[in-house]
Amino acid sequence: MKERACIYCGTTEDLSVSDIIPDALTNAKIRNPNVCRVAHNNKFSDMFEDKIIKSMALITNELDIKSSKGKKYASYPARITIDETEYAENISSDVELFSGKRIISTEDGKRKLGPMEEIRKFKEATDKNITIVDVNQIEIEKRVTLKLDVFFSNEMHRLMAKIAYEWYCLHNNITDRLDDFDSIIDFITTGNGSDPVELISNKEVYARFEQLSDFGSHTILSYIGLDDSVNIIVSFFGIAMYNIRLLPHPIDQCKYNAVYQMVTIDAKREQFCFYSMADLYKNLKTAFRKVCDLGGMDVIAPKNMDDTSLQLQMMYVNCYKMFQNDLMCVMEPTPQVLALLEQRMLNTLQTSALTVRGLKRFVKEHKEYLNTGLGLNPNGSNKKSIFMFYILFLVGKSEGTWQGLENVNDFIKETFGTDTINVSDELSKQLLLEMLETEGYFETIKAGAVAIENWKYE
Ligand SMILES: [Zn+2]
């Protein structure tokens, strides 16, 4: 038998480990070790991955995902209105705007904002054309443009094809290039040839996935189409879902065709791997036992209560017909699909999912500010940041009895009835007011920050 070789070109030389989903787009690594280093690992970055990573910066930033190679979170272009003037900046966090010696500019370069001592260094600066703004008292509005065309770009399609192909090979122990995959290999490596990737537009499919996927996670699964083709579905951050037609028919070397994997923003994974839908179904039937008879109706319960994949298997079974028949795939943007993507993107940006990583990042980025003792801006309108301050406030108020995220999550579930919260304007105002009206609230927030610094990662 031949030794391990690159699944794209068959070389046995200089193999490397490929991140199936690029490292900058997920905190959980899934890797394929059979990809040659230069031609089919490194070069993909320039060919298509970098463009997608850049255009997803706003999302990865909000979800606290960053490349393990880089120190900073990705930055994205934003328009910031301060005191009725609009500034254009690349930012990676809101506090960064006023930290250090940073100076920001309007698009025409005519107005600048920064610390007084830095502004005075401009030779044009005079007492007459400098105005003082107290950034802790005024409203700061941030606007970003959502660019949706990237979801239909050739680069995105190549990335989806790459994820599908490397993932399927990994789960089927394919360790060499097979001719059966000629077509998709050609598309991934050149961007030409027949494009096997389509965007799923059926809202029902998105809704079903949302029920069982963690917020901001990626899901990959395989299924066999009605025409006997092998297909992969990729749910990209839960924002866009794609169907990738991998093979016209199953092949002998690839036995696993009912495979599912979800990777979450806090690096957890859920997965199952079966030969076929029939095989999965057989397993599912034996996974439950009859508990009692309720007036002629069997009441059943899982034999292994710890098997969290059972729920996912049931979802897979229930959705199988929809995968085969009703994904409503599109190649070109339509107004309906654009509206769907925009809605999902906004939802992702406005939802606050709490992770230890995210909290620690928030504390780190606000440390300088917390030490100023200035207090919260009563006119602040950044809902996410108010919500995070509120969590710090709660942790501080617990006086050391809350020792991790479970305590926060329990409280949130009890108070709001859900795991993830879409912070509305009204709720945000209410939380801000509650803090401002509490005596010594800023000290409480600081105590919460110190506590969170000492929390352990899950
Ligand atoms: Zn290669």
Side-chain angles (χ1 to χ4, degrees), residues 5-15 34-41 44 177 189:
C6 172
I7 56 170
Y8 290 99
C9 64
T11 182
T12 52
E13 314 264 303
D14 200 20
L15 292 183
N34 306 307
V35 178
C36 71
R37 186 177 313 276
V38 180
H40 299 120
N41 196 345
F44 286 167
R177 182 190 193 286
T189 53

Side-chain angles (χ1 to χ4, degrees), residues 165 168-169 172-182 184-185 224 228-231 246-257 275:
Y165 176 54
Y168 186 72
C169 286
N172 279 288
N173 306 311
I174 297 301
T175 57
D176 194 359
R177 182 190 193 286
L178 300 179
D179 293 343
D180 305 86
F181 291 108
D182 273 353
I184 196 157
I185 291 175
I224 303 293
D228 205 32
S229 59
V230 177
N231 294 267
L246 205 56
L247 288 167
H249 304 285
I251 55 172
D252 289 345
Q253 294 93 327
C254 296
K255 302 240 180 300
Y256 295 95
N257 286 302
Y275 293 134

